[in-house]
Amino acid sequence: MKEQVDVSRSPWRLGPRAARWFDFLLASALVLPTFPLTLLVGQSPYPALLSLAQTVPLFWRRRHPVAVFAVVAGASVLQAATYDMPVWGQVGFPAALYALARYGSGRSALIGLFVGLCGAVVASWVWTTAQFAAYPPGQEYIDYDMGLEDLLPYLLSITAIVLAAWALGSQARIRRAYEAGLVERGRQLAVEAEQRAVLAAAQERTRIAREMHDVVAHGLSVMIVQADGARYAAAKDPDVAVRTLETVAKVGREGLTEMRRLLGLLRGTGDPALAPQPGLADLPSLVTADDRVDLELPDPLPEVPDGVALTVFRLVQESLTNVRKHAGPNARARVRLRTLPGALEVEVVDDGHGASAAGSGGLGLLGMRERVEVHDGTLDVGPAPGGGWAVRARIPT
């Protein structure tokens, strides 16, 4: 069973308005502590300005991630060059790196990671050297040589923060791209399913059109032949004319019934009163009393799938219709049905002059060929030896 994709449900995300409020609240939470911390610690206004330069741009981190990261990184570089102590605004750098990794491209995220790692090394060096330089002269550890073990605590902490911000942002960007791909794939599947339904409906209408062609052409050709015969026989033998007109009426009613069944298929109705599909047992109904047709059927009739039986019936129906239309008034035809190992062979041969109309083509010949090919069968249509026209088909059963 194929899983159906519901494209009406998308992954949960913040809406545009909620995203704007979230960005505003987050940036505000990082900007506002700058002022009370500056007053409590008693620092000069310069560290506060550095903090504002690193946090205020975060208001636009979603719409302009590259520009925001560049401003925040530039402010961090300015701090490292001019102020050797940590400030509150440094929390803006991992937030800007996260925004760059999530809302920017993969390449810009890698560049941001490289800048962050370089900044971790520089910040660790600046803060460590500043810590040792802050000791007053004359102390016993004034000549202490700073080593790698002194840098590691700062370096590892800052590096971990940088890597976490970059990894979380990159994972969020990849996940969002994956979700967008799933939604788009679902939409494509829905469109393809709709297209398949349209194509199936078109193929069904084409099949019904072939059925209508076979029914109407056969019924009208029989009725025309019978009506012409009744007209010529009316003056000499009225009883023959009456019987012929009864045949015309019978053929007309049968054709009307089958046409109603096909139109019912177009309407999609399930009326049980509609006639079933014709099969091998209905082949004798295609030959009327006035037809010069020899019908050779096996006794008993073979049991074949309904689709094969319908194909044989339509093949004989169309072939006899062509005999009446093109073979001439005195042409004789032979319909022979034979059972072969694993196949059914049908042959309709006439001795008329229908070969002269072979180039006319039309829906009838195309429909016969398509019906046979559906069942992996073969169809040979062409002039018969000694004159006339032959239709031979072999259909696997």
Side-chain angles (χ1 to χ4, degrees):
M1 180 180 296
K2 293 184 178 180
E3 181 180 359
Q4 294 182 352
V5 180
D6 184 6
V7 298
S8 62
R9 299 183 58 186
S10 300
W12 183 86
R13 293 174 183 168
L14 291 176
R17 184 177 180 181
R20 288 194 298 269
W21 274 105
F22 179 80
D23 290 345
F24 176 79
L25 294 176
L26 177 62
S28 299
L30 297 179
V31 171
L32 293 179
T34 301
F35 303 101
L37 287 177
T38 302
L39 294 176
L40 291 175
V41 177
Q43 292 178 337
S44 64
Y46 184 68
L49 294 177
L50 290 175
S51 296
L52 292 177
Q54 297 177 62
T55 55
V56 171
L58 296 178
F59 283 104
W60 300 275
R61 66 188 184 91
R62 189 185 300 264
R63 298 178 58 184
H64 307 286
V66 177
V68 169
F69 179 80
V71 172
V72 174
S76 299
V77 172
L78 179 62
Q79 175 195 346
T82 60
Y83 193 77
D84 55 5
M85 295 298 293
V87 297
W88 167 255
Q90 291 171 190
V91 298
F93 186 88
L97 179 59
Y98 173 86
L100 178 67
R102 179 170 183 178
Y103 304 114
S105 63
R107 182 178 181 181
S108 61
L110 290 176
I111 295 176
L113 175 63
F114 176 75
V115 172
L117 294 177
C118 293
V121 175
V122 173
S124 300
W125 175 264
V126 170
W127 293 343
T128 303
T129 54
Q131 179 181 4
F132 283 97
Y135 293 125
Q139 299 293 334
E140 58 181 356
Y141 41 78
I142 189 67
D143 295 331
Y144 177 76
D145 293 332
M146 185 178 62
L148 180 61
E149 63 275 8
D150 301 307
L151 292 175
L152 280 180
Y154 286 108
L155 180 61
L156 294 179
S157 300
I158 301 175
T159 300
I161 295 174
V162 170
L163 289 176
W166 173 81
L168 291 175
S170 298
Q171 179 63 25
R173 184 188 74 252
I174 295 173
R175 179 177 178 82
R176 186 167 186 175
Y178 176 72
E179 292 174 351
L182 288 180
V183 172
E184 181 63 24
R185 178 57 179 165
R187 291 174 180 170
Q188 291 179 358
L189 290 176
V191 172
E192 292 174 0
E194 184 178 357
Q195 291 177 347
R196 286 195 297 269
V198 172
L199 291 176
Q203 291 175 356
E204 181 66 12
R205 286 182 171 84
T206 302
R207 184 188 68 80
I208 294 175
R210 291 197 299 266
E211 299 273 346
M212 292 286 291
H213 171 272
D214 295 342
V215 171
V216 173
H218 173 75
L220 290 180
S221 63
V222 171
M223 293 171 67
I224 291 172
V225 171
Q226 296 292 331
D228 287 339
R231 179 165 56 88
Y232 292 125
K236 297 181 180 180
D237 191 349
D239 294 337
V240 175
V242 172
R243 292 195 301 270
T244 303
L245 291 176
E246 290 177 353
T247 303
V248 171
K250 179 182 177 181
V251 172
R253 284 191 295 268
E254 292 176 352
L256 183 60
T257 300
E258 196 161 359
M259 187 181 302
R260 286 175 176 173
R261 178 182 61 80
L262 294 175
L263 292 177
L265 292 177
L266 287 176
R267 292 193 302 266
T269 179
D271 188 357
L274 295 175
Q277 295 277 13
L280 299 182
D282 299 301
L283 288 175
S285 65
L286 298 176
V287 181
T288 62
D290 294 338
D291 285 336
R292 298 169 180 260
V293 177
D294 298 327
L295 186 61
E296 300 178 11
L297 301 178
D299 188 18
L301 290 173
E303 294 183 2
V304 296
D306 293 340
V308 175
L310 177 61
T311 298
V312 172
F313 181 88
R314 295 303 184 199
L315 189 66
V316 175
Q317 185 182 50
E318 179 63 26
S319 300
L320 293 180
T321 299
N322 291 335
V323 170
R324 297 187 185 99
K325 291 169 59 176
H326 305 297
N330 298 319
R332 296 191 63 88
R334 184 183 77 253
V335 178
R336 184 172 64 175
L337 183 66
R338 293 194 305 166
T339 56
L340 302 175
L344 195 64
E345 185 179 71
V346 58
E347 181 182 62
V348 182
V349 182
D350 66 78
D351 57 3
H353 52 269
S356 60
S360 61
L363 185 60
L365 180 59
L366 177 62
M368 287 193 296
R369 191 172 300 279
E370 289 180 350
R371 289 179 188 277
V372 174
E373 290 177 352
V374 164
H375 300 284
D376 297 328
T378 58
L379 176 69
D380 295 324
V381 180
W389 193 256
V391 177
R392 296 180 179 89
R394 178 173 295 185
I395 305 173
T397 59

